[in-house]
Amino acid sequence: LSDTVYIPPYANIIGDGQDKTVLTITDSSKAVFQFCDQTSTPGTYVLFQEGSTNIQSGTRPTNITLSGLTFKYDAAALKINAVPLLRVDCAIDSFISDCKFQGVYQSGDTSDTGYTGIELRGQGVITTENLILDNCTFDGLYYGVKSNHDIKDNTISKSRFRNLRRGVVFKENTITGNVIGPMRSKIHGNKFEDIEREGIYSGTSTVPTYNA
């Protein structure tokens, strides 16, 4: 792929399994997939924007399933202004399973901190919530899963994080317009291997976030 594929509500994209159905992005400044509002039309996509209410509560990404896929940065592409392979924006009741997120990160390479498997985003009342991320692999990335945004009640389970700068990162930075950041997430039954910094990092907030 040379550009992003935008995923609307109720989409189900099912591949043959990790390392069998492989989606490679040739431009690291583009995501492979990004969730979009139901009011999007081909060529005109209603997308998440910082400080904006473009994605509306009634038409937000809902009940999206991604399974049996590998998302991959092209090894030959420069890591310049990189964005995450998958952007899950304002999604509710969605499921990502048996997916792999692959890069070519080498220890100590801080050339681009956007080099990430999945970014979870939301803002205010339109959060990413009730997402289940299960049995996935994150390999050779700066971050495995990250979020500095308002998200809640999400689960990361039975996944493998290896050869990363950081594994799961919540609220490393404060984003203008966000109220609290990631909260009430459950991270359990995962394996962390060859992580340069933290396997799980949770930043500070002015109120309890109840991440477990």
Side-chain angles (χ1 to χ4, degrees):
L1 303 172
S2 60
D3 208 343
T4 302
V5 176
Y6 296 103
I7 309 299
Y10 305 103
N12 294 294
I13 301 179
I14 313 298
D16 286 331
Q18 296 185 34
D19 295 322
K20 293 182 179 179
T21 300
V22 181
L23 304 171
T24 302
I25 191 73
T26 59
D27 182 348
S28 64
S29 68
K30 306 286 181 65
V32 177
F33 286 175
Q34 181 174 343
F35 291 8
C36 65
D37 191 274
Q38 190 172 350
T39 59
S40 300
T41 57
T44 305
Y45 303 102
V46 180
L47 304 173
F48 177 87
Q49 283 188 314
E50 304 287 359
S52 172
T53 56
N54 281 8
I55 294 180
Q56 300 298 309
S57 180
T59 52
R60 69 198 293 184
T62 303
N63 291 110
I64 293 172
T65 296
L66 306 177
S67 181
L69 305 167
T70 289
F71 299 80
K72 186 177 182 181
Y73 289 106
D74 186 346
L78 294 175
K79 291 184 286 182
I80 303 299
N81 299 318
V83 301
L85 290 165
L86 173 61
R87 277 184 153 162
V88 175
D89 293 339
C90 304
I92 187 170
D93 298 333
S94 295
F95 186 55
I96 302 170
S97 69
D98 188 29
C99 287
K100 184 176 183 180
F101 300 84
Q102 181 72 57
V104 292
Y105 176 79
Q106 298 292 323
S107 180
D109 179 7
T110 59
S111 60
D112 204 313
T113 60
Y115 203 65
T116 300
I118 301 177
E119 183 176 27
L120 308 176
R121 300 192 295 181
Q123 189 163 293
V125 297
I126 309 177
T127 64
T128 286
E129 57 188 271
N130 300 327
L131 171 77
I132 295 175
L133 175 64
D134 183 70
N135 189 31
C136 291
T137 302
F138 300 85
D139 192 354
L141 302 160
Y142 194 93
Y143 297 120
V145 178
K146 75 171 181 179
S147 180
N148 293 310
H149 293 80
D150 292 332
I151 65 170
K152 63 183 180 181
D153 300 313
N154 301 296
T155 299
I156 301 172
S157 61
K158 294 181 288 184
S159 295
R160 295 154 298 282
F161 295 82
R162 56 191 183 221
N163 305 313
L164 309 171
R165 174 79 166 181
R166 281 174 163 157
V168 178
V169 174
F170 284 163
K171 202 165 185 185
E172 184 180 24
N173 300 301
T174 298
I175 303 295
T176 301
N178 280 259
V179 178
I180 189 171
M183 66 182 301
R184 296 201 303 267
S185 291
K186 295 179 181 179
I187 304 170
H188 66 88
N190 303 285
K191 183 176 181 179
F192 298 87
E193 181 180 1
D194 292 327
I195 308 298
E196 186 175 358
R197 296 287 298 273
E198 301 88 4
I200 301 171
Y201 174 90
S202 183
T204 59
S205 178
T206 55
V207 296
T209 52
Y210 306 106
N211 295 308

